[in-house]
Amino acid sequence: MTTPYPKMLEPLNLGFTTLKNRVLMGSMHTGLEEAKQGFDKLAEFYAQRAKGGVGLIVTGGISPNVRGRLAPFACQLSYPWQVAKHKKVTDAVHREGGKICMQILHAGRYGYHPLSVAPSAIKAPITPFKPKAMSERQIRTTIRHYARAAKLAKKAGYDGVEIMGSEGYLINQFICRRTNQRDDDWGGSFENRSRFPREIVRAVRAAVGEDFIIVYRLSMLDLVEDGNTLDEVVALGKGVEQDGATIINTGIGWHEARVPTIVTSVPRGAFRWITARLKQELKVPVVATNRINTPEVAEDILGREEADMVSMARPFLADAEFVNKAAAGKADRINTCIACNQACLDHVFENKRATCLVNPLAAYETELVMTPATTKKKVAVVGAGPAGLSFSCFAAERGHEVHLFDRADNIGGQFNFAKQVPGKEEFHETIRYFKNRLADAGVHVHLASEQTVASLQQGGFDSVVIATGVVPRKLDIEGADLPHVYGYLDVLRDHKPVGKKVAVIGAGGIGFDVSEYLTTEQSPTLNSDHWHKVWGIDQGYEHRGALAQPIAEPSPREVVLMQRKETKVGAGLGKTSGWVHRNTLRHKGVKMLNSVNYERIVPEGIEITRNGKRELVAADHIIVCAGQLPLRELEQPLRDAGIDVHRIGGADVAAELDAKRAIRQGAELAATI
Ligand code: FAD
Ligand code: NAP
Ligand code: SF4
């Protein structure tokens, strides 16, 4: 049999060791690093990814000293007594035939604590703490701390270390004029600014010897003002190569950059072009990264020799078996990361454990465990939205006889509307994944099959799971029944014609999505060059940080997006993605109004009061995106008939419902039923 992805699956010989393929699992902080018994859980988390076939794993960032921690109690490796817990991880990975590097990350001015240090005392826009400028002595000691961490990592059994030199952390802060205003040997000229990373690589190499992997994560595009030039990036890459780096990994954009780099609206493989340029200049293997989430994209990048390896991080939260499935010719069975950030990065920023919206078992491998069912049941699941899909697959895989019903003629529930929003094309993948998984798990799927209390009673089921979702909330004001008042389903499901002037009521996730839908003619996500222009990324790299003036993108409609709350419009959106949605709509000229009181709807638009003034928002159509109510009228009659009934997803609680909760709740019920 020919290998389906020959380039991706080709071994990589590093001289002293060989990686079994070209796939690197990128560094991700899970929160287990600091949790009680977290390293036992981490060991299983990484072991499953190693078993799943990944060529090289990189751990979440571990600080080389106290001041370098990201948060006050963040993980650090500085003392021999800290080695034992790391050994649990390396042993587990090696048992599965994998290789693993520990990332050394000094946060510098991104440290969320008062002990943070940086080359110069300049506060980052994303933390409240102003760092202290490092003394020369501190710089020297910090370099030794990197070397000490690497030596301890070797003792702990790691196959190598990754030196985190991108994303705006300490090393990046030294390299760029933006954050380095020193006038000693560590600042000023590029040679001086790059002294810190180069001495770190040399010190680490000296500490660990030759037969140890050193990955250097190089910031290829800073995407901030006063970032580096391409020449400087190339010079640094060549420098660290000489100093002893084995592999050069890519970093795209500082955390404070106002250009999206990983959210779902970033085109797949958007930044491959910069790795391709660097690869021409360097001898060591170069890794491409960001928004690579399918074996096809990985293979294409490697096949065109734009990189020697590909890094994927979140795709391994979504599916530990990514590589094995690809190798077995079952890429259509991969649970694709949809780049939503909702359960991974957003959790990290909220100090919660990272997991995955589409795979709630991620980082819960030892806690949310699916064992074979002891008593096999015949279960009806009403509703094939995310909650019903998740439950059905897990329950059938445990051995139950599962019948999944939906009145629609397709599975996916509301994901069928989400996938139409420009920039949310990835949502198609989740529906594709579940369709195949239902078939593999042997779920009996009944589409175009509206269920009633009578039909369910006649089915002879041991249990019924109500996963019927939600109904949109209707407005209760004068004029709400006028013909130019639409719900979001009229727009996204029924594609009713919408006029040039639109007022959107409700600025939650759906209000934002509908506004994006109505103001976009062609999704920039599907045209990478255009997307770069929209966000002002200079592929010619003529300016520092590769920033250019964003192009104007005319909107086909004038949209006013409103909410009653006094808070900033969009404040409730995801921490790591909300700003992208807000900027996109601002760019389209969408007017965002808070503190709105809806008075009445009239043929010319909607009358509102705001700041004590009554005004007319002129509109051809008013689109109501005012949240939802649970749909569960089947539940009580079934209970009354003595049937064992459970409810999940929107049918359970509609307020603050999202697919993350729906899918997790489905999995949790399936684990116990
Ligand atoms: P639903 O998805 O509503 O599924 C319920 C299913 O039950 C439907 O298919 C329905 O046809 C079926 N059904 C109902 N009654 C019956 C019956 N009597 N018989 C048979 N079948 C029945 N969430 C996120 O987390 N991230 C996002 O980015 C996101 N974007 C969104 C964008 C849009 C435009 C929309 C509309 C939603 C978005 N959501 C998002 C929300 C997410 O889709 C929902 O939270 C999720 O779909 C809820 O899952 P559910 O299974 O509970 O219900
Ligand atoms: P939502 O986030 O709860 O927003 C509902 C909006 O309606 C709010 O702006 C609310 O603001 C307004 N509202 C509530 N009751 C109202 C009433 N009686 N009259 C007028 N306005 C009212 O819900 P949603 O937008 O429907 O989204 C549903 C779920 O899908 C959300 O929980 C969200 O997490 C998920 N989703 C997520 C994304 C994403 O990108 N992550 C995208 C889409 C959807 P005021 O009360 O201030 O007016
Ligand atoms: Fe990908 Fe979303 Fe899962 Fe994070 S939560 S790994 S972005 S699918």
Side-chain angles (χ1 to χ4, degrees):
M1 194 182 98
T2 52
T3 316
Y5 302 99
K7 290 286 173 194
M8 187 179 91
L9 298 172
E10 188 186 324
L12 180 64
N13 186 349
L14 298 174
F16 57 90
T17 186
T18 299
L19 306 181
K20 62 179 161 197
N21 54 50
R22 305 299 178 110
V23 181
L24 179 146
M25 173 175 156
S27 172
M28 284 179 292
H29 183 85
T30 60
L32 289 173
E33 295 79 357
E34 292 83 24
K36 206 166 159 226
Q37 264 132 36
F39 272 72
D40 295 304
K41 296 173 187 173
L42 262 187
E44 187 55 27
F45 169 75
Y46 285 125
Q48 289 201 9
R49 274 81 198 155
K51 193 174 174 195
V54 65
L56 180 63
I57 294 171
V58 179
T59 67
I62 307 286
S63 179
N65 58 26
V66 173
R67 289 184 186 277
R69 293 178 180 191
L70 258 172
F73 300 104
C75 198
Q76 175 186 341
L77 180 56
S78 303
Y79 307 105
W81 57 265
Q82 293 166 325
V83 164
K85 62 182 182 183
H86 287 269
K87 195 131 192 8
K88 292 180 184 179
V89 167
T90 56
D91 283 347
V93 168
H94 292 152
R95 260 197 305 275
E96 298 297 348
K99 289 198 177 355
I100 183 162
C101 291
M102 186 190 85
Q103 187 188 71
I104 310 178
L105 179 149
H106 189 304
R109 71 177 193 155
Y110 283 170
Y112 213 81
H113 52 76
L115 296 179
S116 66
V117 288
S120 303
I122 309 168
K123 194 182 91 59
I126 55 172
T127 58
F129 300 97
K130 187 174 172 184
K132 290 205 174 56
M134 292 167 85
S135 65
E136 286 210 55
R137 191 155 156 248
Q138 251 177 334
I139 294 174
R140 291 260 168 233
T141 315
T142 304
I143 293 169
R144 282 200 297 279
H145 290 166
Y146 272 86
R148 178 179 67 185
K151 205 169 178 172
L152 291 170
K154 190 171 185 187
K155 206 165 164 203
Y158 286 104
D159 301 280
V161 289
E162 176 173 90
I163 297 169
M164 180 47 160
S166 65
E167 259 69 5
Y169 291 114
L170 181 70
I171 289 179
N172 226 176
Q173 292 158 25
F174 266 92
I175 299 164
C176 289
R177 299 196 312 207
R178 174 184 181 81
T179 38
N180 183 345
Q181 294 177 1
R182 304 178 71 96
D183 52 14
D184 57 8
D185 286 353
W186 307 92
S189 66
F190 175 69
E191 196 192 342
N192 280 355
R193 284 183 278 126
S194 52
R195 193 181 307 282
F196 185 61
R198 295 202 54 186
E199 292 217 4
I200 288 172
V201 177
R202 276 182 231 145
V204 168
R205 181 51 82 205
V208 296
E210 290 306 310
D211 57 344
F212 196 66
I213 300 169
I214 299 180
V215 183
Y216 181 84
R217 184 106 176 253
L218 177 69
S219 182
M220 304 225 180
L221 294 175
D222 292 321
L223 301 178
V224 288
E225 275 156 29
D226 237 353
N228 275 355
T229 62
L230 180 61
D231 287 347
E232 289 171 339
V233 173
V234 171
L236 181 57
K238 288 185 171 167
V240 293
E241 183 178 76
Q242 262 173 33
D243 298 327
T246 326
I247 293 173
I248 292 194
N249 194 0
T250 318
I252 306 288
W254 289 31
H255 286 318
E256 68 204 64
R258 293 291 88 182
V259 176
T261 53
I262 60 166
V263 297
T264 190
S265 56
V266 175
R268 286 180 180 174
F271 299 104
R272 49 195 288 178
W273 60 272
I274 183 61
T275 318
R277 282 219 206 155
L278 260 290
K279 182 173 153 49
Q280 291 166 13
E281 308 277 352
L282 301 172
K283 293 188 206 74
V284 296
V286 176
V287 188
T289 183
N290 285 46
R291 286 290 282 120
I292 301 169
N293 66 340
T294 67
E296 285 72 24
V297 177
E299 185 70 12
D300 194 49
I301 291 171
L302 295 166
R304 289 172 195 265
E305 300 192 357
E306 294 173 349
D308 304 284
M309 287 188 85
V310 288
S311 166
M312 291 179 261
R314 297 170 299 168
F316 286 102
L317 286 176
D319 199 331
E321 287 281 323
F322 183 104
V323 176
N324 283 352
K325 286 181 183 174
K330 293 184 174 170
D332 61 348
R333 263 57 182 174
I334 291 174
N335 195 358
T336 305
C337 164
I338 58 173
C340 63
N341 284 356
Q342 285 177 241
C344 50
L345 267 188
D346 283 348
H347 276 205
V348 171
F349 278 94
E350 291 161 15
N351 263 327
K352 290 197 228 157
R353 189 190 310 182
T355 176
C356 175
L357 179 141
V358 297
N359 175 21
L361 308 194
Y364 286 84
E365 285 77 11
T366 59
E367 293 151 276
L368 185 51
V369 184
M370 301 289 164
T371 50
T374 41
T375 315
K376 305 232 183 296
K377 290 185 178 170
K378 184 176 175 189
V379 186
V381 184
V382 191
L389 290 170
S390 167
F391 172 85
S392 299
C393 293
F394 283 120
E397 284 157 5
R398 291 192 57 222
H400 295 301
E401 178 185 332
V402 179
H403 291 261
L404 173 63
F405 300 92
D406 205 295
R407 63 181 169 204
D409 56 10
N410 50 8
I411 63 161
Q414 292 179 59
F415 263 33
N416 290 302
F417 317 133
K419 73 185 187 190
Q420 298 182 44
V421 175
K424 284 196 160 176
E425 291 80 5
E426 293 290 1
F427 284 60
H428 283 274
E429 300 293 347
T430 305
I431 298 176
R432 180 264 309 151
Y433 164 74
F434 273 118
K435 196 170 166 205
N436 291 330
R437 189 167 156 207
L438 289 172
D440 292 347
V443 175
H444 305 269
V445 181
H446 311 269
L447 295 177
S449 178
E450 168 119 22
Q451 290 304 291
T452 60
V453 175
S455 66
L456 291 163
Q457 272 180 313
Q458 283 157 17
F461 298 108
D462 300 311
S463 300
V464 174
V465 177
I466 307 287
T468 41
V470 291
V471 278
R473 179 182 282 122
K474 291 217 162 94
L475 276 193
D476 188 18
I477 58 169
E478 188 186 330
D481 53 355
L482 286 171
H484 65 312
V485 181
Y486 286 177
Y488 60 86
L489 294 180
D490 293 316
V491 180
L492 295 175
R493 183 189 61 195
D494 304 336
H495 304 287
K496 289 191 181 166
V498 179
K500 291 278 175 203
K501 283 188 169 210
V502 180
V504 177
I505 294 184
I510 294 180
F512 264 80
D513 276 356
V514 165
S515 302
E516 217 151 311
Y517 177 83
L518 292 173
T519 53
T520 311
E521 270 173 326
Q522 274 177 344
S523 172
T525 304
L526 302 177
N527 179 341
S528 190
D529 283 340
H530 183 63
W531 177 86
H532 277 77
K533 290 186 184 124
V534 168
W535 284 99
I537 305 166
D538 171 21
Q539 282 181 274
Y541 222 136
E542 282 169 20
H543 310 279
R544 284 194 168 273
L547 287 180
Q549 193 59 33
I551 58 161
E553 239 208 331
S555 159
R557 290 186 184 82
E558 280 175 44
V559 173
V560 182
L561 174 61
M562 300 178 287
Q563 69 177 32
R564 298 170 304 177
K565 285 189 281 293
E566 288 174 12
T567 49
K568 184 168 74 174
V569 175
L573 300 177
K575 182 110 180 137
T576 60
S577 56
W579 65 272
V580 182
H581 294 298
R582 283 192 296 275
N583 282 3
T584 303
L585 292 193
R586 240 179 253 132
H587 204 67
K588 295 290 178 88
V590 172
K591 210 165 149 186
M592 299 182 216
L593 303 181
N594 58 2
S595 309
V596 171
N597 196 29
Y598 308 113
E599 299 294 348
R600 62 177 188 146
I601 298 176
V602 292
E604 301 76 38
I606 175 165
E607 287 179 7
I608 62 167
T609 320
R610 198 165 172 254
N611 305 326
K613 274 202 299 201
R614 193 164 174 128
E615 58 182 284
L616 172 78
V617 176
D620 305 316
H621 285 99
I622 318 292
I623 301 177
V624 181
C625 306
Q628 295 129 345
L629 301 169
L631 177 60
R632 51 172 186 240
E633 77 273 12
L634 294 173
E635 183 189 358
Q636 200 51 48
L638 289 172
R639 273 195 208 291
D640 294 343
I643 294 177
D644 177 45
V645 185
H646 305 262
R647 59 178 204 229
I648 52 175
D652 181 32
V653 180
E656 295 183 7
L657 165 74
D658 59 10
K660 179 178 76 175
R661 169 151 63 78
I663 291 178
R664 172 163 285 274
Q665 217 181 352
E668 284 173 349
L669 177 63
T672 53
I673 201 164

